[in-house]
Amino acid sequence: MANIDNYDFKGKKAIVRVDFNVPLDDNGNITDDTRIRGALPTLKKILSDGGALIIMSHMGKPKGKVNPKLSLKQIVPTVEKYLGVPVEFAADAADATAQAEALKPGQVLLLENLRFHAEEEGKPVGIDKADPAYDAAKKDMKAKQKEFAKKLASYADVYVNDAFGTAHRSHASTAVIADYFDCDNKMLGFLMEKEVTAVDNILSNIKRPFTAIMGGSKVSTKIGIIENLLDKVDNLILCGGMTYTFAKAMGGNIGNSICEPDKLDLALDIVKKAKEKGVNLVLGTDCVAADAFSNDANTKVCDVNNIPDGWEGIDIGPASIASFVGAILPAKTILWNGPAGVFEFDNFATGSKVVCEAIVKATNNGAFSLVGGGDSVACVNKFGYADAVSYVSTGGGALLEAIEGKILPGIAAVSCKK
Ligand code: AMP
């Protein structure tokens, strides 16, 4: 794999996979351009070296059909504003040969939404998995996916993947395309490099003690990560809705709190494994219970094992806060994924906010802190601490799979490791 830091793009055409899947309002205006800004260091380096730039991305889920509401044409003015040069648009990603050939150094071409072609994802559309013809359709689509990837590759001399958000997908533009470039002409972009380093800091290059805080609504969606982390962390704080599956598994009365009754054995297994591995498992002991799932509900602090019927635990209580903070403050490596309570309700955001503040304090004391995976990112943004932690990941599913220890296809494809 080549390295973007010392690669000279002068005179080359670079095709760059970015994640420009930005949210739009009803009039097609971008409501949050974070993802576009995230890719700028890579795009600007290519242009300032004297390269020509072909940018490609998906937007939304058009499922292989052209959908004007998901056209990347809508983002052209924003990309022009940030790059400071005109951006030409290719209305069909699979038919841009002439436009790519005409590109001169310093010029930019943006391809239309890749997912307007079913070949991008490589999944057959309009046929059910149970249909006897499905396997043949899938094989046929995989062959078409290779052709699509080959076409995209034909536009450029060098391939850069800077789309961490889709790095866990083996799509035409994220992985298959890399087969058409030799090792010296494919690489990760700057954003990808930052994400890879951040994940490495919590999976391999760990400074101790390492405290992971896993929250959110369910244990079932986090089990792969929890199991991988049990081999790495010193302290594992489990909070949010999953608290009550653990409390119920240990014989508690959890009232109306969120619970996954089919995961009680799993919860007990996690407790057992944590003990065996010498991990300090920190579970909430008290909660702020509400008599309705509403910001204006009546509240009372309860023991998590003793919540009255008609009440549900939706934030952590003062004793839990104290033990969580105690495990976060001395940490030198911190991972936070998932809020401690229903932080969307201001009256139940205290627990998540205190967790966030403790992470910021530990970071100020030299810890490396990685926040990622959907709602914890929303938390740091809501509380205004995004710049006060070490790294906020741009990847949802990709980050979670990386923390589970999985090799991401988008990274493997350019890494040239056998
Ligand atoms: P996840 O996507 O699994 O990370 O879950 C995030 C969601 O979990 C957020 O929308 C929170 O409101 C929700 N959540 C956190 N704590 C609780 C709780 N005690 N009861 C119900 N939902 C919760």
Side-chain angles (χ1 to χ4, degrees), residues 215-218 221-222 240-241 244 258 293 313-315 338-344 373 375:
S217 55
K218 294 174 176 175
T221 54
K222 310 268 160 109
Y244 308 97
I258 187 170
F293 191 76
I314 55 177
D315 195 11
V342 183
F343 74 101
E344 295 93 333
D375 276 316

Side-chain angles (χ1 to χ4, degrees), residues 78-161:
T78 306
V79 181
E80 286 182 330
K81 178 183 88 182
Y82 282 122
L83 290 180
V85 291
V87 171
E88 204 188 322
F89 186 68
D92 180 353
D95 186 17
T97 305
Q99 285 169 292
E101 271 175 5
L103 272 190
K104 302 264 178 306
Q107 294 184 335
V108 184
L109 176 66
L110 173 68
L111 305 185
E112 179 57 288
N113 191 344
L114 296 162
R115 290 192 188 166
F116 285 179
H117 293 270
E119 290 84 350
E120 164 63 1
E121 293 183 76
K123 275 189 261 162
V125 266
I127 177 163
D128 196 80
K129 276 195 178 151
D131 191 314
Y134 182 83
D135 284 349
K138 192 171 162 193
K139 206 169 155 204
D140 180 51
M141 181 49 89
K142 284 285 165 203
K144 286 184 178 153
Q145 185 184 46
K146 280 192 179 170
E147 282 311 306
F148 182 57
K150 193 173 169 186
K151 181 83 190 178
L152 296 172
S154 74
Y155 301 153
D157 309 303
V158 46
Y159 167 66
V160 183
N161 190 352

Side-chain angles (χ1 to χ4, degrees), residues 70-326:
L70 297 174
S71 172
L72 286 176
K73 193 163 192 182
Q74 302 167 97
I75 70 166
V76 167
T78 306
V79 181
E80 286 182 330
K81 178 183 88 182
Y82 282 122
L83 290 180
V85 291
V87 171
E88 204 188 322
F89 186 68
D92 180 353
D95 186 17
T97 305
Q99 285 169 292
E101 271 175 5
L103 272 190
K104 302 264 178 306
Q107 294 184 335
V108 184
L109 176 66
L110 173 68
L111 305 185
E112 179 57 288
N113 191 344
L114 296 162
R115 290 192 188 166
F116 285 179
H117 293 270
E119 290 84 350
E120 164 63 1
E121 293 183 76
K123 275 189 261 162
V125 266
I127 177 163
D128 196 80
K129 276 195 178 151
D131 191 314
Y134 182 83
D135 284 349
K138 192 171 162 193
K139 206 169 155 204
D140 180 51
M141 181 49 89
K142 284 285 165 203
K144 286 184 178 153
Q145 185 184 46
K146 280 192 179 170
E147 282 311 306
F148 182 57
K150 193 173 169 186
K151 181 83 190 178
L152 296 172
S154 74
Y155 301 153
D157 309 303
V158 46
Y159 167 66
V160 183
N161 190 352
D162 212 17
F164 185 68
T166 48
H168 57 317
R169 306 282 182 221
S170 195
H171 291 170
S173 67
T174 61
V176 185
I177 187 174
D179 289 346
Y180 301 98
F181 294 88
D182 61 36
C183 285
D184 296 336
N185 290 303
K186 54 184 167 187
M187 69 200 81
L188 301 178
F190 288 123
L191 179 63
M192 273 281 230
E193 280 187 347
K194 276 204 281 183
E195 297 277 358
V196 170
T197 306
V199 171
D200 193 52
N201 281 346
I202 59 152
L203 290 189
S204 320
N205 191 16
I206 303 167
K207 291 187 281 169
R208 300 203 174 270
F210 178 7
T211 297
I213 307 118
M214 302 293 301
S217 55
K218 294 174 176 175
V219 64
S220 54
T221 54
K222 310 268 160 109
I223 183 62
I225 303 175
I226 292 173
E227 294 209 317
N228 198 29
L229 287 175
L230 281 174
D231 287 324
K232 319 247 177 225
V233 297
D234 302 291
N235 305 299
L236 178 60
I237 298 173
L238 296 180
C239 54
M242 70 176 93
T243 308
Y244 308 97
T245 300
F246 282 83
K248 173 119 183 149
M250 291 188 263
N253 293 321
I254 59 165
N256 293 16
S257 306
I258 187 170
C259 177
E260 291 176 281
D262 58 331
K263 295 290 178 284
L264 302 184
D265 288 344
L266 177 78
L268 292 178
D269 192 47
I270 291 171
V271 174
K272 185 166 154 257
K273 279 191 183 144
K275 208 177 239 165
E276 285 166 4
K277 290 174 191 277
V279 171
N280 174 32
L281 184 65
V282 188
L283 287 161
T285 49
D286 61 351
C287 66
V288 179
D291 62 355
F293 191 76
S294 146
N295 189 46
D296 305 318
N298 295 308
T299 65
K300 60 178 164 188
V301 173
C302 300
D303 188 304
V304 293
N305 295 311
N306 200 5
I307 303 173
D309 285 346
W311 292 73
E312 58 185 303
I314 55 177
D315 195 11
I316 50 176
S320 306
I321 287 181
S323 65
F324 289 10
V325 169

Side-chain angles (χ1 to χ4, degrees), residues 363-415:
T363 309
N364 290 339
N365 287 335
F368 173 81
S369 53
L370 169 58
V371 178
D375 276 316
S376 26
V377 175
C379 273
V380 286
N381 287 334
K382 173 168 176 151
F383 306 135
Y385 288 123
D387 293 331
V389 297
S390 308
Y391 194 69
V392 179
S393 175
T394 59
L399 177 76
L400 301 188
E401 289 197 19
I403 301 171
E404 278 179 42
K406 291 185 185 160
I407 306 289
L408 304 185
I411 295 172
V414 295
S415 70

